[in-house]
Amino acid sequence: MSYVIENSEIHQLTDNPAPSGTATPLKGRDNIRTKFLSSVGIAKKEEEFSLVVELLICAHECYTLSCDMEGISNVLRASRKTTTALASAEEFPLMIRLLTGIARFNEMNYIFDTLKQYHQFELLFRKGIEKEDKLKLAIMDYLKRYHPNDHDTYTMVSLHFTMYREIAKMLEQKAHSHLKRIES
Protein backbone atom coordinates (compact mmCIF):
# COMPACT_ATOMS: atom_id res chain seq x y z
CA MET A 1 0.00 0.00 0.00
CA SER A 2 1.33 3.43 -0.84
CA TYR A 3 0.41 6.72 0.78
CA VAL A 4 0.59 9.90 -1.21
CA ILE A 5 -0.03 13.13 0.61
CA GLU A 6 -1.07 16.03 -1.53
CA ASN A 7 1.32 18.77 -0.41
CA SER A 8 -0.63 21.50 -2.16
CA GLU A 9 -3.72 20.70 -0.09
CA ILE A 10 -1.81 20.82 3.19
CA HIS A 11 -0.01 24.12 2.74
CA GLN A 12 -3.08 25.83 1.30
CA LEU A 13 -4.71 25.40 4.70
CA THR A 14 -2.47 27.99 6.32
CA ASP A 15 -0.69 31.24 5.52
CA ASN A 16 2.56 29.96 7.03
CA PRO A 17 3.48 26.43 5.90
CA ALA A 18 6.35 26.03 8.40
CA PRO A 19 4.14 24.82 11.24
CA SER A 20 2.58 22.37 8.78
CA GLY A 21 5.87 20.50 8.75
CA THR A 22 5.59 19.81 12.45
CA ALA A 23 1.90 20.16 13.19
CA THR A 24 -0.07 18.80 10.25
CA PRO A 25 -2.96 16.94 11.82
CA LEU A 26 -2.95 13.20 11.22
CA LYS A 27 -5.61 12.14 13.71
CA GLY A 28 -6.96 14.61 16.18
CA ARG A 29 -4.15 16.39 18.00
CA ASP A 30 -1.28 14.12 16.89
CA ASN A 31 1.37 15.82 14.79
CA ILE A 32 3.82 14.83 12.10
CA ARG A 33 6.94 15.30 14.21
CA THR A 34 5.66 12.94 16.90
CA LYS A 35 4.49 10.40 14.35
CA PHE A 36 7.43 10.24 11.97
CA LEU A 37 10.33 10.96 14.29
CA SER A 38 9.15 8.36 16.77
CA SER A 39 8.52 5.79 14.04
CA VAL A 40 11.79 6.31 12.12
CA GLY A 41 13.57 3.65 14.14
CA ILE A 42 10.67 1.28 14.69
CA ALA A 43 8.76 1.12 11.41
CA LYS A 44 8.68 -2.51 10.36
CA LYS A 45 5.99 -2.80 7.72
CA GLU A 46 6.04 -1.47 4.20
CA GLU A 47 2.94 0.64 4.91
CA GLU A 48 4.61 2.28 7.88
CA PHE A 49 7.76 2.96 5.88
CA SER A 50 5.68 4.37 3.04
CA LEU A 51 3.84 6.68 5.42
CA VAL A 52 7.09 7.83 7.04
CA VAL A 53 8.61 8.58 3.61
CA GLU A 54 5.56 10.56 2.48
CA LEU A 55 5.46 12.51 5.75
CA LEU A 56 9.14 13.40 5.40
CA ILE A 57 8.53 14.61 1.85
CA CYS A 58 5.53 16.64 2.96
CA ALA A 59 7.38 18.15 5.92
CA HIS A 60 10.29 19.07 3.64
CA GLU A 61 7.90 20.77 1.22
CA CYS A 62 6.36 22.81 4.05
CA TYR A 63 9.73 23.85 5.46
CA THR A 64 11.02 24.72 2.00
CA LEU A 65 8.02 26.93 1.27
CA SER A 66 8.59 28.82 4.50
CA CYS A 67 12.40 28.94 4.10
CA ASP A 68 12.84 27.26 7.49
CA MET A 69 16.42 25.99 7.30
CA GLU A 70 16.31 24.36 10.74
CA GLY A 71 13.21 22.42 9.75
CA ILE A 72 14.81 21.35 6.47
CA SER A 73 17.92 20.13 8.28
CA ASN A 74 15.74 18.20 10.76
CA VAL A 75 13.97 16.51 7.86
CA LEU A 76 17.30 15.67 6.21
CA ARG A 77 18.57 14.14 9.48
CA ALA A 78 15.37 12.11 9.84
CA SER A 79 15.72 11.08 6.18
CA ARG A 80 19.20 9.73 6.85
CA LYS A 81 17.89 7.63 9.75
CA THR A 82 14.99 6.47 7.62
CA THR A 83 17.37 5.48 4.83
CA THR A 84 19.26 3.24 7.25
CA ALA A 85 16.01 1.59 8.32
CA LEU A 86 14.85 1.24 4.70
CA ALA A 87 18.15 -0.38 3.73
CA SER A 88 17.86 -2.87 6.59
CA ALA A 89 14.34 -3.74 5.43
CA GLU A 90 15.47 -3.77 1.78
CA GLU A 91 12.83 -1.19 0.82
CA PHE A 92 14.89 0.33 -1.98
CA PRO A 93 11.99 1.71 -4.06
CA LEU A 94 10.88 3.73 -1.02
CA MET A 95 14.43 4.98 -0.61
CA ILE A 96 14.33 6.25 -4.20
CA ARG A 97 10.92 7.81 -3.55
CA LEU A 98 12.44 9.66 -0.59
CA LEU A 99 15.35 10.84 -2.72
CA THR A 100 13.21 12.05 -5.62
CA GLY A 101 10.49 13.46 -3.35
CA ILE A 102 12.84 15.65 -1.34
CA ALA A 103 15.07 16.23 -4.40
CA ARG A 104 18.13 17.44 -2.51
CA PHE A 105 20.39 15.07 -4.38
CA ASN A 106 23.75 16.43 -3.26
CA GLU A 107 22.77 16.52 0.41
CA MET A 108 21.37 13.00 0.13
CA ASN A 109 24.23 11.30 -1.72
CA TYR A 110 24.32 8.72 1.09
CA ILE A 111 21.33 7.15 -0.70
CA PHE A 112 23.51 6.66 -3.78
CA ASP A 113 26.12 5.03 -1.52
CA THR A 114 23.52 2.73 0.02
CA LEU A 115 22.10 1.73 -3.35
CA LYS A 116 25.60 1.01 -4.66
CA GLN A 117 26.50 -0.96 -1.53
CA TYR A 118 23.38 -3.14 -1.84
CA HIS A 119 23.82 -3.52 -5.64
CA GLN A 120 20.53 -1.68 -6.29
CA PHE A 121 21.94 1.29 -8.21
CA GLU A 122 20.02 0.24 -11.34
CA LEU A 123 16.75 1.13 -9.60
CA LEU A 124 17.64 4.75 -10.32
CA PHE A 125 17.07 3.99 -14.00
CA ARG A 126 13.48 2.83 -13.79
CA LYS A 127 10.80 4.26 -16.02
CA GLY A 128 9.81 7.85 -15.26
CA ILE A 129 13.06 8.83 -13.57
CA GLU A 130 14.60 10.00 -16.86
CA LYS A 131 12.50 13.16 -16.56
CA GLU A 132 14.51 14.23 -13.52
CA ASP A 133 17.31 16.30 -15.08
CA LYS A 134 18.77 17.27 -11.70
CA LEU A 135 18.86 13.61 -10.69
CA LYS A 136 20.76 12.69 -13.87
CA LEU A 137 23.36 15.35 -13.15
CA ALA A 138 23.58 14.37 -9.48
CA ILE A 139 24.20 10.72 -10.40
CA MET A 140 26.92 11.69 -12.87
CA ASP A 141 28.51 14.04 -10.35
CA TYR A 142 28.38 11.35 -7.67
CA LEU A 143 30.06 8.82 -9.95
CA LYS A 144 32.76 11.29 -11.03
CA ARG A 145 33.48 12.36 -7.46
CA TYR A 146 33.20 9.13 -5.47
CA HIS A 147 33.70 6.36 -8.05
CA PRO A 148 35.92 7.80 -10.79
CA ASN A 149 37.22 4.36 -11.83
CA ASP A 150 33.79 2.74 -12.18
CA HIS A 151 33.62 3.12 -15.95
CA ASP A 152 30.94 0.45 -16.34
CA THR A 153 28.40 2.25 -14.16
CA TYR A 154 29.31 5.60 -15.72
CA THR A 155 28.75 4.13 -19.19
CA MET A 156 25.46 2.54 -18.10
CA VAL A 157 24.19 5.86 -16.71
CA SER A 158 25.30 7.81 -19.78
CA LEU A 159 23.65 5.38 -22.15
CA HIS A 160 20.45 5.09 -20.15
CA PHE A 161 19.94 8.83 -19.94
CA THR A 162 21.22 9.33 -23.52
CA MET A 163 23.83 11.80 -22.39
CA TYR A 164 25.71 12.06 -25.68
CA ARG A 165 28.29 14.57 -24.53
CA GLU A 166 29.37 12.34 -21.65
CA ILE A 167 29.49 9.30 -23.95
CA ALA A 168 31.62 11.23 -26.47
CA LYS A 169 33.95 12.50 -23.73
CA MET A 170 34.40 8.99 -22.38
CA LEU A 171 35.15 7.57 -25.85
CA GLU A 172 37.60 10.40 -26.51
CA GLN A 173 39.44 9.67 -23.26
CA LYS A 174 39.67 5.97 -24.17
CA ALA A 175 41.02 6.88 -27.62
CA HIS A 176 43.67 9.16 -26.11
CA SER A 177 44.77 6.45 -23.67
CA HIS A 178 45.02 3.92 -26.53
CA LEU A 179 47.08 6.40 -28.59
CA LYS A 180 49.45 6.97 -25.66
CA ARG A 181 49.93 3.21 -25.31
CA ILE A 182 50.66 2.87 -29.02
CA GLU A 183 53.16 5.75 -28.94
CA SER A 184 55.02 4.24 -25.97
Side-chain angles (χ1 to χ4, degrees), residues 22-111:
T22 54
T24 302
L26 293 174
K27 290 181 182 172
R29 287 174 247 147
D30 294 340
N31 63 47
I32 285 179
R33 178 174 283 170
T34 303
K35 286 290 185 183
F36 80 74
L37 290 179
S38 66
S39 66
V40 163
I42 61 170
K44 291 182 176 83
K45 298 177 187 169
E46 180 185 352
E47 296 86 22
E48 291 173 355
F49 280 131
S50 181
L51 181 59
V52 168
V53 166
E54 293 302 324
L55 288 172
L56 285 167
I57 293 168
C58 181
H60 178 266
E61 179 74 19
C62 291
Y63 287 130
T64 300
L65 285 171
S66 64
C67 300
D68 184 345
M69 295 309 291
E70 184 179 344
I72 292 169
S73 65
N74 287 337
V75 168
L76 290 173
R77 269 192 298 282
S79 295
R80 187 176 209 113
K81 290 179 183 177
T82 302
T83 298
T84 303
L86 290 170
S88 297
E90 297 184 0
E91 292 288 345
F92 302 108
L94 286 175
M95 195 181 299
I96 292 171
R97 169 70 182 124
L98 181 64
L99 176 68
T100 57
I102 291 179
R104 290 187 177 262
F105 304 116
N106 291 327
E107 291 95 331
M108 298 176 76
N109 64 13
Y110 54 85
I111 291 181

Side-chain angles (χ1 to χ4, degrees), residues 144-155:
K144 285 178 190 174
R145 185 175 294 162
Y146 299 106
H147 301 281
N149 296 327
D150 190 355
H151 299 293
D152 293 336
T153 305
Y154 190 84
T155 303

